[in-house]
Short mmCIF file of all heavy atoms in Angstrom, two decimals:
data_model
loop_
_atom_site.label_atom_id
_atom_site.label_comp_id
_atom_site.label_asym_id
_atom_site.label_seq_id
_atom_site.Cartn_x
_atom_site.Cartn_y
_atom_site.Cartn_z
N ASP A 9 -8.15 17.53 -7.80
CA ASP A 9 -8.36 17.09 -9.13
C ASP A 9 -7.14 17.23 -10.03
O ASP A 9 -7.13 16.76 -11.13
CB ASP A 9 -9.51 17.91 -9.77
CG ASP A 9 -10.82 17.12 -9.66
OD1 ASP A 9 -10.76 15.88 -9.78
OD2 ASP A 9 -11.86 17.74 -9.54
N GLN A 29 -8.39 -3.39 -12.81
CA GLN A 29 -8.83 -4.74 -12.43
C GLN A 29 -7.69 -5.60 -12.00
O GLN A 29 -7.79 -6.32 -10.96
CB GLN A 29 -9.56 -5.36 -13.63
CG GLN A 29 -10.03 -6.80 -13.35
CD GLN A 29 -10.67 -7.46 -14.55
OE1 GLN A 29 -11.26 -6.79 -15.40
NE2 GLN A 29 -10.54 -8.78 -14.65
N LEU A 115 -29.39 14.69 -10.40
CA LEU A 115 -28.05 14.87 -9.91
C LEU A 115 -27.04 13.81 -10.37
O LEU A 115 -25.83 14.02 -10.38
CB LEU A 115 -28.04 14.93 -8.37
CG LEU A 115 -28.79 16.09 -7.76
CD1 LEU A 115 -28.86 15.94 -6.26
CD2 LEU A 115 -28.10 17.42 -8.09
N ASP A 142 -38.61 20.10 -15.64
CA ASP A 142 -39.34 21.35 -15.95
C ASP A 142 -40.26 21.25 -17.20
O ASP A 142 -41.32 21.85 -17.24
CB ASP A 142 -38.46 22.59 -16.00
CG ASP A 142 -37.45 22.57 -17.15
OD1 ASP A 142 -37.22 21.49 -17.71
OD2 ASP A 142 -36.88 23.65 -17.47
#
Side-chain angles (χ1 to χ4, degrees):
Chain A
D9 262 327
Q29 178 183 329
L115 295 173
D142 67 342

